[in-house]
Amino acid sequence: MKQAVVALAFLFIAQSLPAQEYKDFGKDRLNSSPRHAEWVDIKSADQTIKAFVVYPERKDKAPVVLVIQEIFGVTDWLRSMCDELAENGLIAIAPDFLNGQKFEDPDAASKAVSAVTQDHVKSVLNATADYALKIPAGNGTLAVCGFCRGGGWAFAYANVNPKLKAVYSFYGAPPQSPEQVTNIGCPVYGFYGENDERVNAMIPKAEELMKAAGKKYEPVIYKGAGHGFMRSGEPTNPAVREADRKARDEAWARWKKLLKELD
């Protein structure tokens, strides 16, 4: 138990964001988007969770991507990422692990996320995946992406759900033990910032484990970028950082090519 607590503490430290990035943004994109978005109720174990869904504008059925939040909740920024995925032809669905709570204060976010158990994460993702695969506009293809803490959860979920076709883990802690990769049945694509050694130090072990298990793991480290560069490099972020903007553009170019493989 003590080891588990230490591991969780390290995971949080490794996936924290710089203080200047806590301010939420993204409503402008959401308010101007032509795409249909809605909140839905999903039954998960003995409770009902909310999930934010955005649909692409296309004439055929689309793949579905589960979008896993940072520690700050289903923020406007995360919802704007869902819209950007829909703009690229995907149905994006982001389950809310924090029951409507959103944070800009790191201490409050830490306290809330620390109360989220791994069983709860698994239950919520399984329920959301089941819902996603039944969306009439979906084509039956399911993938998952996650950012920061959510990036770690996305990688871990690959070991749980054999229906996944791909995982896109953004600066999340990768697996560090053999049992965490044994059941992975899809490729995992990692997106990491060069100036994020707390997370990057874990990549070699993950590569070793995935290779030994015969699994596909393709991590890419973006030069000059820090942790959380998809948020801090967002052009509409009032505190946008130029190096992170460049990394974000490069990551999106790579991601778009990978997403097309889901069709």
Side-chain angles (χ1 to χ4, degrees):
M1 177 61 72
K2 183 177 180 180
Q3 290 180 331
V5 172
V6 172
L8 286 174
F10 176 77
L11 186 59
F12 172 70
I13 292 171
Q15 297 179 348
S16 297
L17 289 175
Q20 68 267 27
E21 293 181 11
Y22 291 139
K23 192 69 178 176
D24 196 14
F25 63 93
K27 278 189 177 179
D28 289 346
R29 180 185 180 92
L30 294 168
N31 290 338
S32 63
S33 174
R35 287 163 290 280
H36 177 75
E38 62 185 8
W39 287 94
V40 298
D41 292 330
I42 298 176
K43 186 69 176 177
S44 174
D46 58 349
Q47 65 176 321
T48 299
I49 63 168
K50 294 285 187 180
F52 183 69
V53 187
V54 187
Y55 290 87
E57 293 187 320
R58 56 187 289 174
K59 62 183 179 181
D60 56 344
K61 294 182 182 295
V64 184
V65 178
L66 308 184
V67 183
I68 308 180
Q69 65 193 52
E70 303 169 312
I71 64 171
F72 304 111
V74 181
T75 58
D76 293 338
W77 173 77
L78 190 83
R79 295 193 300 130
S80 74
M81 286 297 299
C82 290
D83 183 72
E84 196 161 1
L85 281 165
E87 184 179 44
N88 284 280
L90 291 303
I91 299 172
I93 177 167
D96 187 352
F97 294 87
L98 299 179
N99 300 315
Q101 297 180 93
K102 295 190 295 181
F103 301 94
E104 293 183 350
D105 174 67
D107 293 332
S110 174
K111 182 177 180 180
V113 170
S114 295
V116 179
T117 67
Q118 291 303 306
D119 284 343
H120 182 64
V121 172
K122 179 180 176 180
S123 175
V124 169
L125 289 176
N126 280 342
T128 308
D130 289 344
Y131 179 92
L133 288 172
K134 295 175 184 175
I135 293 176
N139 67 5
T141 298
L142 181 69
V144 62
C145 70
F147 305 88
C148 187
R149 175 66 63 92
W153 287 354
F155 207 142
Y157 193 54
N159 202 44
V160 174
N161 191 337
K163 296 179 181 179
L164 293 174
K165 300 302 182 184
V167 173
Y168 314 103
S169 178
F170 288 82
Y171 33 85
Q176 298 294 285
S177 60
E179 66 273 12
Q180 294 176 318
V181 306
T182 303
N183 298 318
I184 294 178
C186 67
V188 179
Y189 303 98
F191 300 75
Y192 306 95
E194 181 183 31
N195 301 325
D196 192 13
E197 183 59 17
R198 290 173 297 175
V199 172
N200 296 349
M202 306 172 75
I203 295 174
K205 181 64 174 181
E207 289 183 297
E208 175 187 321
L209 292 170
M210 291 287 279
K211 182 177 180 180
K215 314 297 183 180
K216 183 176 181 179
Y217 173 41
E218 294 185 357
V220 173
I221 298 176
Y222 294 89
K223 186 175 178 58
H227 185 81
F229 65 82
M230 292 298 284
R231 172 196 279 264
S232 58
E234 170 69 53
T236 59
N237 185 343
V240 63
R241 299 192 304 204
E242 192 56 40
D244 289 350
R245 185 208 296 263
K246 183 175 184 295
R248 186 184 189 277
D249 289 345
E250 292 174 359
W252 255 118
R254 176 192 178 207
W255 198 12
K256 287 177 182 179
K257 290 180 181 178
L258 293 171
L259 290 171
K260 289 184 180 300
E261 296 175 3
L262 295 178
D263 272 319

